[in-house]
Amino acid sequence: MKHFTVDLNGFTAELPILPLPNGVNIAFFNLHGNVELTEHCGKQLAKLVSDCDVLLTAESKGLQLTHVIARELGHKFYAVARKSKKLYMQDGLEVTINSSITTGNPQKLYISKHDAELLRGKKVGIIDDVVSTGNSLVGLEELVELSGGVIHKKAFVLAEGAAAERKDICYLGVIPLL
């Protein structure tokens, strides 16, 4: 299997190159189960979002990353956008987003009333593992705005393809679309 090597501020990761159904190949980045990589990336990103009042992420790969960042910043809570509506979210907010490069289909994001209140009037740092098309990011931005929060930073471990040219985000490394 072919790999793409990326330097994440001093941590070298070997990412397998995998095909998507649309014929594009990606350097697949996966934080799930990788404690050392998650800890390193979370600590590095915490430096970039240290002036945020609260963090927002989307499940699932952003969860453990945001947990590390919140811990590093001394935050007691962070908000989580879920991809399915749970019982405790009946009075929360929802948005529909266009398909991302890895999902292929439109999807919904939901936050609970508790998380919406957590964002209200605060400088929000949006956190995720990879930004590519930006469609998932648009959904997270909409949730912040609907909650009455202020988007302060948008931080990712990796910017993929043309996303690396964006001026409104920060990230640790760049991967190409292959």
Short mmCIF file of all heavy atoms in Angstrom, two decimals, residues 5-15 29 31 37 40-41 44 129 156-159 171-175:
data_model
loop_
_atom_site.label_atom_id
_atom_site.label_comp_id
_atom_site.label_asym_id
_atom_site.label_seq_id
_atom_site.Cartn_x
_atom_site.Cartn_y
_atom_site.Cartn_z
N THR A 5 3.58 10.88 3.46
CA THR A 5 4.19 11.29 4.72
C THR A 5 3.91 12.76 4.96
O THR A 5 4.11 13.59 4.07
CB THR A 5 5.71 11.05 4.68
OG1 THR A 5 5.94 9.67 4.38
CG2 THR A 5 6.36 11.40 6.00
N VAL A 6 3.44 13.09 6.16
CA VAL A 6 3.15 14.48 6.52
C VAL A 6 3.78 14.79 7.87
O VAL A 6 3.79 13.95 8.77
CB VAL A 6 1.63 14.75 6.52
CG1 VAL A 6 0.90 13.95 7.58
CG2 VAL A 6 1.32 16.24 6.67
N ASP A 7 4.33 15.99 7.98
CA ASP A 7 4.91 16.47 9.24
C ASP A 7 3.89 17.38 9.92
O ASP A 7 3.47 18.39 9.35
CB ASP A 7 6.21 17.24 8.98
CG ASP A 7 6.87 17.74 10.25
OD1 ASP A 7 6.19 17.85 11.30
OD2 ASP A 7 8.07 18.03 10.21
N LEU A 8 3.51 17.01 11.14
CA LEU A 8 2.52 17.77 11.90
C LEU A 8 3.20 18.47 13.06
O LEU A 8 3.10 18.05 14.21
CB LEU A 8 1.42 16.83 12.40
CG LEU A 8 0.70 16.05 11.31
CD1 LEU A 8 -0.13 14.93 11.88
CD2 LEU A 8 -0.13 16.98 10.45
N ASN A 9 3.95 19.51 12.75
CA ASN A 9 4.69 20.26 13.77
C ASN A 9 5.56 19.34 14.63
O ASN A 9 5.49 19.36 15.85
CB ASN A 9 3.75 21.07 14.67
CG ASN A 9 3.20 22.30 14.00
OD1 ASN A 9 3.35 22.48 12.80
ND2 ASN A 9 2.56 23.16 14.76
N GLY A 10 6.36 18.53 13.97
CA GLY A 10 7.30 17.68 14.69
C GLY A 10 6.88 16.24 14.87
O GLY A 10 7.64 15.44 15.40
N PHE A 11 5.71 15.87 14.44
CA PHE A 11 5.25 14.48 14.50
C PHE A 11 5.05 14.02 13.07
O PHE A 11 4.25 14.60 12.33
CB PHE A 11 3.93 14.38 15.27
CG PHE A 11 3.50 12.97 15.57
CD1 PHE A 11 3.64 12.46 16.85
CD2 PHE A 11 2.95 12.16 14.59
CE1 PHE A 11 3.23 11.17 17.15
CE2 PHE A 11 2.56 10.87 14.86
CZ PHE A 11 2.70 10.36 16.15
N THR A 12 5.77 12.99 12.67
CA THR A 12 5.64 12.47 11.31
C THR A 12 4.59 11.38 11.27
O THR A 12 4.63 10.44 12.07
CB THR A 12 6.99 11.91 10.81
OG1 THR A 12 7.96 12.95 10.87
CG2 THR A 12 6.87 11.39 9.39
N ALA A 13 3.63 11.52 10.35
CA ALA A 13 2.57 10.53 10.20
C ALA A 13 2.63 9.95 8.79
O ALA A 13 2.81 10.68 7.81
CB ALA A 13 1.22 11.17 10.45
N GLU A 14 2.47 8.65 8.70
CA GLU A 14 2.40 7.93 7.42
C GLU A 14 0.93 7.64 7.14
O GLU A 14 0.32 6.82 7.82
CB GLU A 14 3.19 6.62 7.49
CG GLU A 14 4.68 6.80 7.70
CD GLU A 14 5.38 7.37 6.49
OE1 GLU A 14 4.95 7.07 5.35
OE2 GLU A 14 6.35 8.12 6.68
N LEU A 15 0.36 8.31 6.15
CA LEU A 15 -1.06 8.16 5.85
C LEU A 15 -1.26 7.26 4.64
O LEU A 15 -0.68 7.52 3.58
CB LEU A 15 -1.67 9.54 5.56
CG LEU A 15 -1.39 10.64 6.59
CD1 LEU A 15 -2.07 11.93 6.16
CD2 LEU A 15 -1.82 10.22 7.98
N PHE A 29 -6.42 10.21 6.92
CA PHE A 29 -5.97 10.60 8.26
C PHE A 29 -6.98 10.10 9.27
O PHE A 29 -8.16 10.40 9.18
CB PHE A 29 -5.84 12.12 8.34
CG PHE A 29 -5.35 12.61 9.67
CD1 PHE A 29 -4.04 12.36 10.06
CD2 PHE A 29 -6.18 13.30 10.52
CE1 PHE A 29 -3.57 12.81 11.28
CE2 PHE A 29 -5.72 13.76 11.74
CZ PHE A 29 -4.42 13.51 12.13
N LEU A 31 -7.50 9.63 13.47
CA LEU A 31 -7.07 9.78 14.85
C LEU A 31 -7.61 8.68 15.76
O LEU A 31 -7.08 8.47 16.85
CB LEU A 31 -7.57 11.13 15.41
CG LEU A 31 -6.90 12.38 14.89
CD1 LEU A 31 -7.66 13.62 15.35
CD2 LEU A 31 -5.46 12.44 15.34
N LEU A 37 -0.68 10.35 18.55
CA LEU A 37 -0.98 11.32 17.50
C LEU A 37 -2.04 12.31 17.96
O LEU A 37 -1.91 13.52 17.75
CB LEU A 37 -1.44 10.60 16.23
CG LEU A 37 -1.81 11.47 15.03
CD1 LEU A 37 -0.64 12.33 14.59
CD2 LEU A 37 -2.30 10.59 13.89
N HIS A 40 -0.52 14.75 20.52
CA HIS A 40 0.37 15.72 19.88
C HIS A 40 -0.42 16.79 19.13
O HIS A 40 -0.19 17.99 19.31
CB HIS A 40 1.34 15.02 18.92
CG HIS A 40 2.17 15.99 18.14
ND1 HIS A 40 3.29 16.60 18.66
CD2 HIS A 40 2.01 16.50 16.89
CE1 HIS A 40 3.79 17.43 17.76
NE2 HIS A 40 3.03 17.38 16.67
N CYS A 41 -1.36 16.36 18.29
CA CYS A 41 -2.13 17.31 17.48
C CYS A 41 -2.99 18.22 18.37
O CYS A 41 -3.08 19.43 18.12
CB CYS A 41 -3.00 16.57 16.47
SG CYS A 41 -2.04 15.72 15.20
N GLN A 44 -0.78 20.86 19.98
CA GLN A 44 -0.35 21.85 18.99
C GLN A 44 -1.50 22.79 18.61
O GLN A 44 -1.31 24.00 18.51
CB GLN A 44 0.20 21.17 17.73
CG GLN A 44 1.48 20.39 17.96
CD GLN A 44 2.61 21.27 18.44
OE1 GLN A 44 2.90 22.30 17.85
NE2 GLN A 44 3.25 20.86 19.52
N ASP A 129 -10.66 17.41 12.28
CA ASP A 129 -9.42 16.75 11.89
C ASP A 129 -8.91 17.23 10.54
O ASP A 129 -7.76 17.59 10.39
CB ASP A 129 -9.56 15.23 11.93
CG ASP A 129 -10.61 14.69 10.97
OD1 ASP A 129 -11.56 15.43 10.61
OD2 ASP A 129 -10.51 13.52 10.57
N PHE A 156 -7.71 23.01 12.25
CA PHE A 156 -7.73 21.65 11.75
C PHE A 156 -6.33 21.05 11.87
O PHE A 156 -5.34 21.77 11.83
CB PHE A 156 -8.16 21.62 10.28
CG PHE A 156 -9.48 22.28 10.07
CD1 PHE A 156 -9.57 23.66 9.86
CD2 PHE A 156 -10.64 21.54 10.11
CE1 PHE A 156 -10.79 24.28 9.69
CE2 PHE A 156 -11.88 22.16 9.94
CZ PHE A 156 -11.95 23.53 9.73
N VAL A 157 -6.27 19.75 11.96
CA VAL A 157 -4.97 19.09 11.89
C VAL A 157 -4.44 19.25 10.48
O VAL A 157 -3.29 19.65 10.28
CB VAL A 157 -5.05 17.60 12.28
CG1 VAL A 157 -3.69 16.93 12.09
CG2 VAL A 157 -5.54 17.44 13.72
N LEU A 158 -5.28 18.97 9.48
CA LEU A 158 -4.84 18.99 8.08
C LEU A 158 -5.77 19.79 7.19
O LEU A 158 -6.99 19.75 7.34
CB LEU A 158 -4.77 17.56 7.55
CG LEU A 158 -3.71 16.66 8.17
CD1 LEU A 158 -3.94 15.21 7.80
CD2 LEU A 158 -2.32 17.11 7.74
N ALA A 159 -5.18 20.49 6.24
CA ALA A 159 -5.92 21.12 5.14
C ALA A 159 -5.63 20.28 3.90
O ALA A 159 -4.48 20.00 3.58
CB ALA A 159 -5.45 22.55 4.94
N TYR A 171 -4.07 25.42 10.54
CA TYR A 171 -3.89 23.97 10.48
C TYR A 171 -2.41 23.64 10.72
O TYR A 171 -1.55 24.51 10.67
CB TYR A 171 -4.36 23.42 9.12
CG TYR A 171 -3.79 24.17 7.94
CD1 TYR A 171 -2.55 23.85 7.41
CD2 TYR A 171 -4.50 25.22 7.35
CE1 TYR A 171 -2.02 24.55 6.33
CE2 TYR A 171 -4.00 25.92 6.28
CZ TYR A 171 -2.75 25.58 5.78
OH TYR A 171 -2.22 26.27 4.71
N LEU A 172 -2.17 22.35 10.97
CA LEU A 172 -0.82 21.89 11.26
C LEU A 172 -0.08 21.39 10.02
O LEU A 172 1.14 21.45 9.97
CB LEU A 172 -0.85 20.77 12.30
CG LEU A 172 -1.49 21.10 13.64
CD1 LEU A 172 -1.43 19.88 14.56
CD2 LEU A 172 -0.85 22.31 14.28
N GLY A 173 -0.80 20.84 9.06
CA GLY A 173 -0.16 20.26 7.87
C GLY A 173 -1.08 20.26 6.68
O GLY A 173 -2.27 20.56 6.79
N VAL A 174 -0.51 19.92 5.53
CA VAL A 174 -1.24 19.93 4.25
C VAL A 174 -1.13 18.55 3.61
O VAL A 174 -0.05 17.95 3.61
CB VAL A 174 -0.66 21.00 3.30
CG1 VAL A 174 -1.33 20.94 1.93
CG2 VAL A 174 -0.79 22.38 3.92
N ILE A 175 -2.25 18.07 3.07
CA ILE A 175 -2.23 16.84 2.28
C ILE A 175 -2.89 17.13 0.94
O ILE A 175 -3.80 17.94 0.84
CB ILE A 175 -2.94 15.66 2.99
CG1 ILE A 175 -4.36 16.03 3.41
CG2 ILE A 175 -2.11 15.17 4.17
CD1 ILE A 175 -5.15 14.88 4.04
#
